[in-house]
Amino acid sequence: MHLNEIKKTREKIKDVINKTPILYSPIFSKMTNCSVYMKCENLQLTGAYKIRGALNKIRSLSDEEKSKGVVCSSAGNHAQGVAYAASLLGVESTIVMPKTTPYLKIQSTKDFGGNVVLHGNCYDDAFLKAKSIEENNNSVFIHPFNDINVIYGQGTIALEILEEISDIDIILCPIGGGGLISGISLAAKEINPSIKIIGVQAEGANAMEQSFKNGNLISLNSVNTIADGIAVKSPGDLTYKIIKEYVDDIVTVSDQEIAEAFLILCEKHKLLAEASGAASLAALKKLNYTDKKIACVISGGNIDMITISSLINDGLVERGRLFCFTLELPDIPGQLQEISRILSELNANIVQLEHNQFKASNRLKNVLLEVTIETNGIEHITLIKDTFINMGFKINQMY
């Protein structure tokens, strides 16, 4: 039943939606002993999969409903999808976004024709404000995930994956409110019930994971993650019911694991994803499978330059490519030169040095040297630490 509706949806939106590429990943495949493929919705129109559900929902409205205008709440990607789809169909849109939304997503939503209202610190705060606007203005609320037409739109991704890789074993999918994985699981399980659908949540925003494992819908008091696109305190009741029936498992990933996956994606594939978009790749380490075909949904790529810089630095630290440490040295000439010589012989590139007498435990005789260096990985860091320890230095790793 659902599969036919999702196929109809695909016909309804195919004039606008990009059929995004599915790319094989040698690096992630090697890391997992599986064949890993990436469904690149970061290359979708508006930069994320959300346009699929938004367009399907707005096209399903009556002319009378369209004349009232639409309103939505979003951390960014649904906002852009609704704004674009509404403008395309000549419908006025009001978009409520958290104040913490990255500037790029706010400006892009405005550029797509949305009237942006900033309210609250997370999606759920924006949701309450949008519902208030709906009531006061008699607008039509376009829910980002808890709506069957939106879910059917997102489910078209599964059709594209299975048309290209019919024997896929596992689909990994990020979860915020649950609309994306609901649509994908409805389509994929009807086509092939043996496909495993595994959801991914950030450790600091794991309401759906808790709900899934406890057997009842759970809301969080707060969320804390770099993955703003999946930072949802209260998942949907409709999506929860679908996930409970069709999804096989939900795993969580840390912000550090997301940053590491982001860095690998950038370095090895020259692709950009937002933190929530890289979550499915981060989850590969949590799976206990070999020789399986795995499709990871890269859900979005709307990321600003400042966040890119932060994620790259975090990823470099997680991969052992940046190493910061302190040494306490005698306050006599030549000590700094000696440390530089040792690091040079160990093929470590100095990024930053801070030489500070006032931070030393014995300020009369010593200075504290804080060093940040580029390294080749964890083994290289271990070699550097062991070298200094064997030379009688007390080394303290900062990160």
Side-chain angles (χ1 to χ4, degrees):
M1 178 186 74
H2 294 296
L3 181 60
N4 285 335
E5 291 301 318
I6 292 170
K7 287 180 176 179
K8 290 177 185 177
T9 296
R10 186 182 186 185
E11 290 302 309
K12 191 193 296 187
I13 65 175
K14 70 177 184 179
D15 61 318
V16 175
I17 301 302
N18 292 332
K19 183 178 179 181
T20 53
I22 300 175
L23 304 178
Y24 174 73
S25 173
I27 180 69
F28 286 109
S29 297
K30 184 178 180 181
M31 287 168 57
T32 57
N33 293 314
C34 289
S35 296
V36 176
Y37 300 85
M38 303 179 297
K39 177 59 172 168
C40 297
E41 285 294 292
N42 55 323
L43 303 179
Q44 183 56 262
L45 187 69
T46 73
Y49 74 94
K50 288 283 192 176
I51 181 63
R52 295 173 183 263
L55 181 61
N56 186 49
K57 176 62 179 178
I58 296 175
R59 276 189 167 164
S60 72
L61 300 178
S62 66
D63 289 342
E64 181 183 355
E65 288 173 321
K66 290 176 185 175
S67 69
K68 296 176 181 178
V70 298
V71 61
C72 78
S73 51
S74 171
N77 289 332
H78 181 61
Q80 293 171 77
V82 169
Y84 184 92
S87 296
L88 191 69
L89 301 174
V91 177
E92 185 177 346
S93 64
T94 300
I95 318 293
V96 186
M97 308 176 81
K99 293 177 182 178
T100 53
T101 303
Y103 172 77
L104 173 67
K105 292 183 178 181
I106 295 171
Q107 190 57 49
S108 295
T109 303
K110 291 178 179 179
D111 291 343
F112 286 135
N115 173 35
V116 174
V117 175
L118 298 178
H119 181 83
N121 295 314
C122 68
Y123 163 76
D124 303 82
D125 297 334
F127 170 77
L128 294 175
K129 179 66 174 177
K131 294 298 286 185
S132 173
I133 293 172
E134 174 195 25
E135 185 176 344
N136 293 334
N137 297 353
N138 200 28
S139 304
V140 177
F141 183 73
I142 309 297
H143 203 287
F145 49 83
N146 211 46
D147 181 290
I148 196 62
N149 285 303
V150 170
I151 289 169
Y152 284 159
Q154 324 308 22
T156 59
I157 293 171
L159 301 182
E160 294 177 11
I161 292 173
L162 289 166
E163 283 174 359
E164 196 158 329
I165 313 171
S166 60
D167 58 345
I168 202 79
D169 297 301
I170 301 166
I171 298 177
L172 268 175
C173 179
I175 299 178
L180 175 60
I181 198 168
S182 292
I184 285 176
S185 62
L186 286 175
K189 286 289 190 178
E190 197 166 336
I191 294 170
N192 180 1
S194 67
I195 293 174
K196 289 193 178 297
I197 309 296
I198 300 176
V200 184
Q201 289 213 286
E203 287 179 355
N206 66 333
M208 189 63 86
E209 185 233 7
Q210 289 191 39
S211 302
F212 181 80
K213 292 180 177 176
N214 285 293
N216 60 283
L217 199 57
I218 292 174
S219 293
L220 304 176
N221 292 324
S222 62
V223 290
N224 182 19
T225 176
I226 59 173
D228 61 285
I230 53 175
V232 177
K233 289 193 290 188
S234 300
D237 57 348
L238 174 58
T239 55
Y240 169 69
K241 289 176 184 176
I242 295 171
I243 288 168
K244 189 177 176 182
E245 183 175 355
Y246 291 94
V247 171
D248 294 279
D249 196 11
I250 299 176
V251 299
T252 60
V253 291
S254 67
D255 283 355
Q256 291 74 26
E257 288 165 336
I258 291 172
E260 181 183 7
F262 170 87
L263 179 66
I264 296 170
L265 184 66
C266 289
E267 275 198 321
K268 301 300 183 181
H269 290 287
K270 319 308 176 193
L271 287 172
L272 276 179
E274 58 197 89
S276 55
S280 58
L281 293 171
L284 286 166
K285 284 186 173 182
K286 303 299 178 75
L287 304 186
N288 189 24
Y289 295 98
T290 55
D291 299 321
K292 299 293 184 182
K293 289 188 175 181
I294 304 173
C296 294
V297 180
I298 313 300
S299 55
N302 291 314
I303 183 170
D304 62 273
M305 294 298 112
I306 293 174
T307 305
I308 289 172
S309 177
S310 297
L311 277 172
I312 288 174
N313 284 334
D314 287 349
L316 288 170
V317 171
E318 189 69 14
R319 296 283 288 171
R321 301 271 300 284
L322 271 183
F323 174 36
C324 179
F325 63 92
T326 61
L327 294 170
E328 199 155 311
L329 307 174
D331 190 14
I332 57 176
Q335 289 297 300
L336 188 58
Q337 183 178 0
E338 176 65 8
I339 298 300
S340 297
R341 181 191 65 78
I342 295 167
L343 290 172
S344 176
E345 289 180 356
L346 291 169
N347 293 317
N349 184 41
I350 297 174
V351 176
Q352 186 174 345
L353 285 173
E354 183 185 354
H355 190 264
N356 194 324
Q357 181 179 4
F358 296 101
K359 289 185 178 181
S361 59
N362 185 344
R363 287 182 289 176
L364 294 176
K365 295 183 177 180
N366 294 344
V367 296
L368 188 76
L369 181 67
E370 182 175 304
V371 188
T372 304
I373 56 176
E374 286 181 323
T375 51
N376 297 324
I378 303 299
E379 291 182 3
H380 194 195
I381 290 174
T382 301
L383 173 63
I384 293 166
K385 290 166 68 175
D386 289 346
T387 300
F388 279 113
I389 291 169
N390 291 335
M391 296 179 71
F393 290 99
K394 184 180 179 182
I395 186 168
N396 180 38
Q397 183 167 347
M398 306 297 289
Y399 58 77

